[in-house]
Amino acid sequence: MNNHLEIGKTLESHIQIRNLNAFYDKQQALKDINLDIPRNKITVIMGPSGCGKTTLLKSLNRFLELGDGAQVSGEVLLDQENIYAQDIDVTEVRKKIGLLAQRPFPLPMSIYDNVAFGLRIHRIRKGQDLDKAVQHYLEAAGLWNEVKDRLDQPAAKLSIGQQQRLCLARGLAVEPEILLGDEATSALDPISAQHIEARLIDLKQYYTVILVTHILRQAKRLADYVIFMYLGEVVEAGTASQVFENPRQERPRAYLEGKF
Ligand code: ADP
Ligand code: MG
């Protein structure tokens, strides 16, 4: 099924996915995906468990073949540049993309160093400049006020919700253009989840955000655009209002009505 340009038709697209297929051994996990993902919007990927949401997300930072050993064909264009081209620098691609995983994985170091880590790897920053930058990204992640007096404490001492915001700060410190979230609030309590949601809504003015969630209410709160997947295919893609209020296909309609 071809959803070419169904979304982002009138908007500038940041990511274009063309004829993307992915196999884990003989099992096909992505089937001829064609999508345009608009810049500075939140695009939410939905669909039942096992339909390929995580696989699609991982295809965007080259993790799929390089990390999971999947076989990938087709193109993913970031700003018109195919990240699957032979001569591409994967490290450069990954710098453009931040990923918030299902559970926070803070590095075994202080709160400060977790954020400084990203900054040090990618640019030379020292002393006051580094302090300011660490503060800036902790503020952007909505964590600064809670940690400013204990920056030298181990990150592991933070609550899970705070750890997830720390991981967001660390991801932002690399200055990506695209933020990916794979069920990024599913391990969090409702208040912590709300914190992350609020940050994502703020941050979309600077980033293109792509989120996987199976929580319908969260999708409705966050999505500008929705992609609905089923058995490795995109079966519907469109603006949030179109997909939620008037899905064209039977599967998303049934899913949205809670029939799955
Ligand atoms: P979702 O995120 O929608 O739950 P996934 O993208 O994780 O779905 O998985 C899509 C399909 O690919 C599933 O059938 C899953 O079992 C399979 N799969 C996912 N990751 C791997 C892997 N690393 N090796 C083999 N099969 C995998
Ligand atoms: Mg998944």
Side-chain angles (χ1 to χ4, degrees):
M1 192 167 305
N2 200 332
N3 285 279
H4 224 157
L5 297 170
E6 286 288 317
I7 62 174
K9 206 181 266 171
T10 57
L11 291 156
E12 190 201 350
S13 55
H14 194 171
I15 304 172
Q16 295 163 300
I17 302 175
R18 296 286 177 265
N19 307 104
L20 187 71
N21 290 279
F23 290 82
Y24 295 107
D25 288 321
K26 290 197 180 90
Q27 191 208 342
Q28 188 163 10
L30 296 178
K31 296 177 186 164
D32 197 32
I33 308 286
N34 287 280
L35 285 168
D36 284 49
I37 296 178
R39 191 183 295 277
N40 296 122
K41 301 285 176 194
I42 298 181
T43 298
V44 169
I45 304 172
M46 301 197 72
S49 184
C51 69
K53 303 182 295 296
T54 296
T55 302
L56 181 59
L57 213 58
K58 284 178 175 174
S59 75
L60 304 179
N61 72 355
R62 295 285 309 265
F63 194 81
L64 206 50
E65 3 83 85
L66 301 176
D68 286 347
Q71 227 113 33
V72 180
S73 66
E75 294 185 340
V76 174
L77 306 167
L78 283 196
D79 289 319
Q80 318 296 331
E81 186 179 42
N82 179 18
I83 66 168
Y84 284 92
Q86 292 249 307
D87 56 352
I88 208 84
D89 180 344
V90 177
T91 312
E92 285 302 312
V93 169
R94 294 218 171 125
K95 271 193 214 171
K96 293 184 182 172
I97 301 174
L99 172 69
L100 260 193
Q102 213 155 353
R103 299 186 152 271
F105 289 104
L107 301 167
M109 47 180 82
S110 71
I111 294 167
Y112 183 98
D113 283 337
N114 260 273
V115 184
F117 185 83
L119 290 159
R120 286 196 182 111
I121 281 191
H122 290 275
R123 281 163 297 150
I124 302 151
R125 286 274 185 102
K126 288 189 197 132
Q128 282 209 322
D129 275 358
L130 186 59
D131 292 350
K132 271 198 200 125
V134 167
Q135 176 172 350
H136 172 79
Y137 291 112
L138 283 169
E139 282 171 349
L143 189 59
W144 173 249
N145 285 332
E146 290 159 59
V147 300
K148 64 182 178 208
D149 299 321
R150 49 173 172 145
L151 293 171
D152 55 346
Q153 284 189 7
K157 284 200 174 171
L158 297 172
S159 73
I160 299 287
Q162 289 170 326
Q163 286 182 20
Q164 190 66 313
R165 278 179 282 150
L166 182 66
C167 290
L168 178 60
R170 187 180 72 207
L172 296 177
V174 178
E175 302 211 325
E177 299 170 9
I178 296 161
L179 283 180
L180 308 178
D182 193 357
E183 317 240 11
T185 64
S186 62
L188 309 184
D189 63 87
I191 300 291
S192 300
Q194 258 178 33
H195 273 300
I196 294 281
E197 285 189 15
R199 292 297 92 208
L200 293 172
I201 289 169
D202 271 3
L203 289 167
K204 75 175 175 185
Q205 57 182 310
Y206 308 109
Y207 304 91
T208 296
V209 183
I210 307 169
L211 304 173
V212 168
T213 182
H214 63 263
I215 307 165
L216 181 56
R217 293 210 310 216
Q218 181 174 60
K220 287 185 173 170
R221 285 192 293 270
L222 295 179
D224 297 304
Y225 291 86
V226 178
I227 294 165
F228 189 90
M229 295 185 73
Y230 189 75
L231 296 177
E233 285 184 78
V234 170
V235 292
E236 181 128 5
T239 63
S241 57
Q242 183 251 306
V243 175
F244 289 139
E245 284 157 32
N246 197 14
R248 280 170 286 200
Q249 305 294 329
E250 193 45 45
R251 298 249 183 241
R253 193 185 300 262
Y255 188 85
L256 295 170
E257 286 168 1
K259 286 185 187 155
F260 268 62

